[in-house]
Amino acid sequence: ASDARNFCLYLGAVHACMQADSSRRPPPPRSCDTFVYVAGGGGPAATVFGKNADRPSDEAHEVMHCPAASHAPGSMLRCTHIEIPQVERTHAVVLSKPAWMWGCEIGANACGVVGGNEAVSSLLAHELGEEPRLLGMDLLRLALERGATARAAVGHLTSLLEEHGQGGACEEGGDWTYENGFLLADAGEAFVVETAGTRHWAVERVPPGAGRNISNGLSIRTGVESCSAGLKELCVAKGWWDGEGPFDWKRSVGAGGRAHAKLDVRGRERAGADHLAAAAGRVSDGSLPAGDVAGWLGWMAGVLRDEESGICFRSTHGFMSTGSQISWLARGGGHTASHFFTAASDPLVACYKRWTFGDPAAAAAGDGLAGDGGSLALWRRWRSIDLAGRSVPEAMRRALLEIEAEAVSAAERGGASEFSGSVARELELISSFAV
């Protein structure tokens, strides 16, 4: 309980930095940031994961639960733009996603696998053209629905990428398209997957006790665990790699084999790496114990609320952190995991609300919380508050922080999900304070 109160006080300090009117600032560049610190090896007692989904500020975002399901042999699945063959069995998932899109920006499954997607760019981006294929967000949802472990999810993702390719409009009513990077994790390991062109990819494993972040750019260097067939031969043919030294993914497909200042870690990626290094330092000096659930969740919340670095985007008419997720993945299966979602367009304003899948039997049958749990209505209320330029009263801020502190305390104790109830409480607070 004291840890939860400390977490609440910490978040109160974070919220205190919100006095500036962010609507008057120029729109920031388009971006996302995803983080993981894998359990074991001197790291946390459970894998901690987090991501801000930075999308157009007027694009509605929802948190949606889809129960596990069986599908008839030979059935087809409609993704955002194309149809592909469906598998016979899909896992229960909870997804944080643009409301218009089939795929997701962030999500988790009932097996304890989580993942996030980001836009990246390579020298093969011209391959995308205008042909509709699978979106990166579709690939992430498919990986979560089909993969019982992070490694299995990676296998599904890369196979689907090779078979169907990536491409198509990534915004409603527009033609914006991009290549994709992913971070997938479970309680024992994590993987960075980065793509180039329509079908090429590379994978880096993140071992126990290690931290990793991605920030809208190619980041895998020579630590390539696996890659698409023909990739290295292509890089040799184009003069991007000599075929003899260590294969550097980012230098090859990102810079044509040339030394370049853009190969350095910088900007938000550097800020994220610094956050991970600071956490590692706290682990070493004992100020962040491995089993301190509230401490680790508070650390990740602070990272995702870091407005100064740009990790937290707050632009009323530009790009914004329209959705945010934190996950605590303990060993023992997906029913032991806790997932936290803002279901709002600004993690510095809304509180994180806890989702769990419950015991394996309930997860297999669906836990009765199908649909968005009121999250879309909540997102729209916060969006209207932002557009109107209304401030949040201090008493309401304290009440929101209390909801978040209760969610953290519940994660420490274990127990059932309270997501829909927390969403309802937040909507009531907005109404009662006439914001």
Side-chain angles (χ1 to χ4, degrees):
S2 61
D3 284 340
R5 285 194 295 271
N6 290 337
F7 179 79
C8 187
L9 291 171
Y10 165 75
L11 290 177
V14 172
H15 278 252
C17 75
M18 296 174 55
Q19 301 305 315
D21 181 5
S22 63
S23 66
R24 298 180 182 178
R25 300 171 190 167
R30 302 172 178 184
S31 78
C32 290
D33 299 275
T34 312
F35 302 85
V36 71
Y37 208 131
V38 183
T47 294
V48 60
F49 168 92
K51 185 202 171 186
N52 281 344
D54 298 327
R55 301 282 303 179
S57 58
D58 60 352
E59 181 185 70
H61 205 94
E62 64 185 348
V63 176
M64 176 173 285
H65 171 246
C66 303
S70 297
H71 309 279
S75 61
M76 299 296 291
L77 170 66
R78 179 69 188 184
C79 300
T80 302
H81 296 308
I82 66 171
E83 284 190 345
I84 67 170
Q86 179 60 286
V87 294
E88 292 188 9
R89 184 72 179 166
T90 50
H91 302 299
V93 294
V94 58
L95 311 169
S96 185
K97 58 186 284 295
W100 69 272
M101 185 185 295
W102 183 84
C104 65
E105 280 274 332
I106 336 170
N109 70 22
C111 303
V113 181
V114 296
N117 154 264
E118 305 196 2
V120 300
S121 181
S122 83
L123 295 176
L124 297 176
H126 63 277
E127 293 182 1
L128 272 59
E130 298 180 357
E131 181 181 344
R133 304 181 188 89
L134 290 174
L135 297 184
M137 288 71 75
D138 295 339
L139 288 164
L140 177 59
R141 177 172 176 174
L142 288 163
L144 292 172
E145 287 188 342
R146 300 180 180 192
T149 65
R151 184 175 288 278
V154 169
H156 286 293
L157 190 157
T158 54
S159 295
L160 288 161
L161 176 67
E162 290 184 345
E163 183 176 357
H164 302 286
Q166 64 180 347
C170 298
E171 60 178 338
E172 189 174 21
D175 57 4
W176 176 39
T177 188
Y178 48 77
E179 300 153 296
N180 295 272
F182 307 86
L183 185 52
L184 293 138
D186 58 27
E189 60 184 348
F191 298 89
V192 175
V193 184
E194 294 176 351
T195 67
T198 55
R199 288 174 168 81
H200 282 298
W201 54 269
V203 173
E204 174 190 327
R205 179 176 182 261
V206 186
R212 187 70 158 81
N213 64 300
I214 56 175
S215 295
N216 276 116
L218 300 177
S219 63
I220 299 174
R221 301 302 301 267
T222 58
V224 176
E225 182 185 78
S226 58
C227 62
S228 52
L231 171 66
K232 292 182 178 179
E233 291 80 1
L234 174 67
C235 291
V236 170
K238 288 184 173 291
W240 298 347
W241 179 48
D242 62 11
E244 297 179 0
F247 177 66
D248 186 326
W249 158 263
K250 182 177 181 179
R251 181 167 178 163
S252 297
V253 302
R258 302 183 304 275
H260 196 287
K262 290 185 178 179
L263 293 174
D264 297 334
V265 177
R266 56 184 185 164
R268 295 180 351 267
E269 185 181 4
R270 168 51 60 193
D274 289 345
H275 279 297
L276 289 166
R282 293 182 59 195
V283 171
S284 296
D285 67 21
S287 62
L288 185 56
D292 183 358
V293 180
W296 281 102
L297 294 175
W299 167 74
M300 183 60 79
V303 172
L304 297 179
R305 285 168 165 151
D306 179 3
E307 183 183 5
E308 183 178 355
S309 71
I311 290 172
C312 178
F313 271 9
R314 307 181 70 223
S315 175
T316 300
H317 301 291
F319 264 56
M320 196 170 201
S321 295
T322 55
S324 187
Q325 174 182 334
I326 299 172
S327 294
W328 179 255
L329 308 174
R331 292 188 180 276
H335 65 287
T336 65
S338 289
H339 310 284
F340 303 82
F341 299 93
T342 54
S345 57
D346 187 347
L348 264 174
V349 174
C351 62
Y352 284 96
K353 295 157 281 288
R354 179 172 173 261
W355 173 280
T356 62
F357 285 97
D359 63 61
D367 63 4
L369 295 176
D372 70 3
S375 66
L376 188 55
L378 180 62
W379 191 95
R380 288 173 171 156
R381 289 295 299 273
W382 279 116
R383 176 63 177 162
S384 67
I385 292 168
D386 186 39
L387 286 171
R390 295 194 292 269
S391 61
V392 178
E394 186 56 37
M396 182 176 166
R397 293 187 198 279
R398 291 195 297 269
L400 290 170
L401 291 173
E402 185 59 32
I403 293 174
E404 188 165 294
E406 289 173 9
V408 172
S409 180
E412 293 176 310
R413 299 190 313 270
S417 173
E418 60 276 349
F419 179 79
S420 295
S422 296
V423 168
R425 286 175 64 189
E426 196 165 324
L427 283 166
E428 289 172 3
L429 280 171
I430 293 172
S431 297
S432 65
F433 281 93
V435 177

